Amino acid sequence: MGPNGSGKSTLSYVLSGRAGYEVTQGSATLLGQDLLDMEPEERAALGLFLAFQYPVEIPGVGNMTFLRTAVNSQRKARGEDELSAGEFLKDIRAKAKSLKIDAEMLKRPVNVGFSGGEKKRNEILQMAMLEPKMCILDETDSGLDVDAMKLVAEGVNALRSEGRSFLVITHYQRLLDHIKPDVVHIMADGRIIKSGGPELAIEVENNGYADLLAEVA
Amino acid sequence: MEAARKSALARLQAMGLPQRRDEYWKYTRPDLLITEDVAPAELLILDEAPLFDTVERLKIVFVDGVFDADASDDLSMEGVEISQLKDAPDWAQSLYGVLEENGQTPVKRPLAALNSAKATQGIVIRVFGKASKPVSLIYVRKSETSDVMLHHIIRVEKGADLTILENGPAAARLNTVMEVDIADKGAFHHVRAMGRDHARRAATHIFGRLGHESTFKSFTMTVNGKLTRNEVVLELTGDDAIAHIAGAAMGDGDFLHDDTVFITHDSLNCQSRQVFKKVLRNGATGVFQGKILVKAGAQKTDGYQMSQSLLLDGDSQFYGKPELEIYADDVLCSHGSTTGAIDDEAMFYLQSRGVSKAEAQDLLVLAFLDAAVDEIEDAAIADDIRSRLEGWLARRRD
């Protein structure tokens, strides 16, 4: 968590390898490997996943084609066998159903004409299909109504397991009622200024960031 | 027919061959299309199934521009009369050069007049009712220096329906004219793939006349070729006619593709639609000159024109000249012409999901072209075209 402009989204982009950022100091590793040296697709194959704050619309590329290409590209990069069309279809149908994503949405071009809630659910579906090790959710709750947020949270909770970490960026404690965090970090001006348990999020919800910022000033 | 040829020659002499200074040849140098000698074009040997191979069709084969009876199917099909140009029946003789001549105003098209004056090979088709399968014109090329002219005449009778497929390397230098006369409620579908030989040059012309409630739909795929100039000149002369023209072109390096279109709306409530997509890399060039002319009486015209180019590097270029000329006051005409690079946001999104940069780019290129391919009505043919576009990209990826 952290005030607007504190660098939360920037951190998520830097970690996932978006162009336009230069890392001047520090390091980032995943499973012992240096992330910063890798192309975005290599980071993804290693197990990094970013659920976008604003998922990108890609006209002309079918959602299903996109997902199968992504799944198989990652498998190939890891030296695993590609999924057959049948296996993939079975897998995606089950996962889409639990996120209330219908067959029509799978056929449509990626995120084109999707509502805000559909786009975010589609992000979670991608995460479920790709089974990453480290998931970054950048304001996945923004723009969602209560029901859609619950669906997204259920999707995330279903994926919680040993060997998989989540970094959830949010402005609202409300999401954390559904996704119970282990640790809450407060970020300001590009740095983590305070860490604590779930109670820290409640403190922010009640008092805002002013007190925390004053503490470190 | 001799009289028609003579009159075409006179037309050509009056207008002269195209020059660089001609407005309609500003972006495409005509030199290679008009030189006395034909520079050789290396033959491209392809190790793949021919296009349209799985389509049930009537095959008509030309080898280096000459009809090959042995390689062709029997020319008889129920409701369809097919003959060679040299055996053209009276109706075809009286149509020969007529639509071409009509299409010379207001823009001169000397290479089409040259074709009408000189062509001796071609096919003549008249269709009554719905043709049971497409007629497939296959252009085989065996000579490195073949200089070919073909002149086809097609008459779609009232309520009839015909699909023409065209593909094959054809020639080192190709000049074609297809005159298509569509009677009321007739439908003409056309899917074509230009030859893939890298050094080949082509100037093609389609002249169409559309009657009441008739339909004209044409799609062209172009990958490779040193120079391609595809002209489509249509006149919508009957009310409620529909004309769709689409093209998907991809060029790499020494490649120039020029789509020049002129659609005249001369009737009520007609619809025309142009969708041209070009993907250019390594210094390839794209040209689009598209015009919609809406005459004074052509109320309720619905004209749409879209020409888009994707430049994959800084060396490639695209010249667009969309034109609307409207004399009626109750019409809907929209046009757009864009030139751009691959969308960085979309690239990152795909890469962040594990798709390699090269594969992500190909996905986006195919998605870009798909709006044009989508104009093909027959799903199986459209898929065949898509697989060729994919193949072309894949060969450049490895």
Side-chain angles (χ1 to χ4, degrees):
Chain A
M1 303 182 84
N4 290 325
S6 59
K8 304 183 298 295
S9 290
T10 299
L11 176 66
S12 71
Y13 287 143
V14 169
L15 290 176
S16 52
R18 185 176 169 143
Y21 298 98
E22 190 194 345
V23 178
T24 53
Q25 53 176 303
S27 64
T29 59
L30 177 60
L31 301 168
Q33 298 199 44
D34 183 4
L35 275 182
L36 301 179
D37 249 5
M38 296 181 188
E39 294 296 323
E41 62 269 30
E42 294 170 325
R43 300 178 196 209
L46 184 62
L48 187 71
F49 180 89
L50 169 64
F52 282 53
Q53 185 179 357
Y54 304 107
V56 181
E57 297 187 4
I58 311 183
V61 178
N63 212 10
M64 194 90 103
T65 308
F66 159 61
L67 263 168
R68 200 166 78 211
T69 308
V71 167
N72 282 333
S73 294
Q74 291 202 13
R75 294 180 73 96
K76 214 164 93 185
R78 291 193 294 259
E80 300 164 11
D81 285 341
E82 295 188 9
L83 279 187
S84 72
E87 289 169 312
F88 172 81
L89 214 59
K90 206 175 140 198
D91 196 15
I92 196 168
R93 279 198 185 130
K95 285 171 176 165
K97 198 176 165 195
S98 68
L99 286 160
K100 298 212 163 77
I101 290 175
D102 60 25
E104 196 48 43
M105 251 175 84
L106 292 176
K107 271 190 235 155
R108 271 155 48 187
V110 180
N111 293 325
V112 177
F114 285 27
S115 72
E118 286 173 335
K119 282 181 181 168
K120 297 298 174 81
R121 273 186 280 150
N122 199 31
E123 294 291 289
I124 304 303
L125 174 65
Q126 292 169 39
M127 188 165 77
M129 290 301 295
L130 294 168
E131 300 179 338
K133 298 280 194 297
M134 172 75 210
C135 313
I136 306 173
L137 276 64
D138 189 4
E139 292 195 29
T140 298
D141 54 332
S142 69
L144 293 187
D145 62 35
V146 181
D147 295 330
M149 193 174 69
K150 273 188 191 158
L151 264 180
V152 163
E154 279 165 21
V156 171
N157 288 331
L159 286 169
R160 286 183 82 153
S161 73
E162 285 292 319
R164 179 172 296 134
S165 306
F166 287 85
L167 172 62
V168 179
I169 299 172
T170 183
H171 279 295
Y172 305 106
Q173 148 66 23
R174 204 178 58 177
L175 178 70
L176 305 181
D177 288 340
H178 302 286
I179 302 174
K180 274 266 164 275
D182 299 313
V183 184
V184 173
H185 298 288
I186 307 297
M187 193 174 192
D189 200 18
R191 287 170 189 283
I192 290 173
I193 57 165
K194 190 163 186 182
S195 303
E199 72 285 351
L200 186 53
I202 296 166
E203 188 190 326
V204 167
E205 182 82 359
N206 293 335
N207 306 328
Y209 293 109
D211 293 351
L212 291 172
L213 291 172
E215 264 177 49
V216 293
Chain B
M1 203 120 91
E2 273 320 299
R5 288 202 173 98
K6 267 189 193 148
S7 119
L9 188 61
R11 275 200 291 289
L12 174 65
Q13 280 162 344
M15 66 182 98
L17 286 168
Q19 305 285 326
R20 191 87 201 281
R21 61 175 183 270
D22 295 346
E23 197 194 332
Y24 271 76
W25 289 92
K26 191 172 171 185
Y27 309 112
T28 302
R29 277 177 185 276
D31 316 28
L32 290 171
L33 297 168
I34 55 179
T35 48
E36 194 84 10
D37 297 320
V38 183
E42 196 185 330
L43 296 163
L44 183 70
I45 310 300
L46 296 172
D47 181 23
E48 60 180 37
L51 193 62
F52 309 133
D53 213 26
T54 56
V55 180
E56 170 70 12
R57 61 199 165 135
L58 187 143
K59 288 189 263 190
I60 297 176
V61 179
F62 289 85
V63 177
D64 286 324
V66 180
F67 175 75
D68 184 337
D70 293 338
S72 301
D73 288 337
D74 182 74
L75 297 187
S76 55
M77 181 171 20
E78 200 190 324
V80 185
E81 293 173 8
I82 306 174
S83 58
Q84 292 186 61
L85 182 66
K86 70 177 176 60
D87 308 321
D90 288 347
W91 70 267
Q93 297 209 20
S94 59
L95 191 58
Y96 187 90
V98 169
L99 300 186
E100 173 262 301
E101 181 177 12
N102 207 29
Q104 297 287 357
T105 318
V107 178
K108 300 282 173 251
R109 305 174 197 280
L111 294 176
L114 173 69
N115 181 297
S116 293
K118 301 285 187 193
T120 55
Q121 289 280 333
I123 209 81
V124 172
I125 304 174
R126 189 181 196 185
V127 55
F128 308 86
K130 184 168 169 49
S132 58
K133 55 189 171 186
V135 173
S136 180
L137 306 177
I138 298 163
Y139 305 134
V140 177
R141 188 180 151 221
K142 289 188 173 163
S143 151
E144 288 229 317
T145 53
S146 47
D147 189 16
V148 168
M149 277 192 206
L150 293 169
H151 195 120
H152 307 306
I153 301 176
I154 294 158
R155 166 84 183 163
V156 180
E157 292 296 345
K158 191 171 178 181
D161 190 326
L162 175 71
T163 297
I164 294 275
L165 307 174
E166 280 185 289
N167 73 301
R173 183 165 71 183
L174 176 69
N175 176 335
T176 66
V177 167
M178 183 184 280
E179 299 186 271
V180 185
D181 193 16
I182 311 173
D184 298 349
K185 298 187 178 176
F188 174 77
H189 296 267
H190 176 233
V191 179
R192 151 172 84 165
M194 306 295 296
R196 269 165 40 193
D197 299 11
H198 294 281
R200 64 119 187 98
R201 289 82 64 197
T204 77
H205 315 81
I206 298 173
F207 295 95
R209 179 163 66 190
L210 282 73
H212 281 261
E213 292 177 55
S214 67
T215 304
F216 172 102
K217 292 191 180 179
S218 173
F219 169 89
T220 301
M221 172 176 73
T222 310
V223 293
N224 304 346
K226 186 181 177 70
L227 172 61
T228 309
R229 161 90 157 206
N230 288 340
E231 298 193 24
V232 179
V233 184
L234 301 180
E235 193 167 10
L236 284 69
T237 60
D239 296 347
D240 303 300
I242 294 172
H244 289 192
I245 311 164
M250 284 202 287
D252 187 348
D254 191 7
F255 170 94
L256 185 146
H257 182 92
D258 174 337
D259 283 300
T260 292
V261 177
F262 199 114
I263 297 183
T264 304
H265 281 263
D266 195 12
S267 233
L268 292 174
N269 204 31
C270 290
Q271 186 208 84
S272 71
R273 180 178 168 83
Q274 303 169 47
V275 181
F276 288 99
K277 298 267 188 169
K278 295 179 177 68
V279 177
L280 305 163
R281 57 197 246 178
N282 292 326
T285 302
V287 178
F288 172 76
Q289 311 184 94
K291 176 151 183 173
I292 303 174
L293 169 63
V294 182
K295 290 198 171 174
Q299 302 294 6
K300 304 284 181 194
T301 286
D302 181 358
Y304 175 83
Q305 182 193 75
M306 182 54 73
S307 164
Q308 296 183 303
S309 284
L310 191 57
L311 306 184
L312 298 184
D313 52 54
D315 299 328
S316 301
Q317 49 201 327
F318 172 69
Y319 301 95
K321 195 175 70 170
E323 295 176 283
L324 300 179
E325 193 175 331
I326 302 171
Y327 295 98
D329 56 12
D330 184 15
V331 304
L332 186 69
C333 269
S334 57
H335 72 103
S337 183
T338 65
T339 311
I342 286 266
D343 179 0
D344 287 339
E345 291 275 318
M347 276 295 284
F348 175 61
Y349 193 65
L350 292 169
Q351 283 180 271
S352 79
R353 299 302 181 244
V355 182
S356 73
K357 195 172 181 175
E359 212 172 338
Q361 179 163 309
D362 288 357
L363 266 179
L364 294 175
V365 164
L366 289 170
F368 171 80
L369 292 171
D370 211 50
V373 180
D374 238 12
E375 296 286 313
I376 302 171
E377 277 191 13
D378 186 306
I381 291 176
D383 282 343
D384 202 355
I385 293 285
R386 281 190 191 96
S387 74
R388 305 300 155 141
L389 294 169
E390 271 175 43
W392 191 87
L393 286 167
R395 282 192 297 280
R396 274 152 187 81
R397 199 194 307 153
D398 304 329

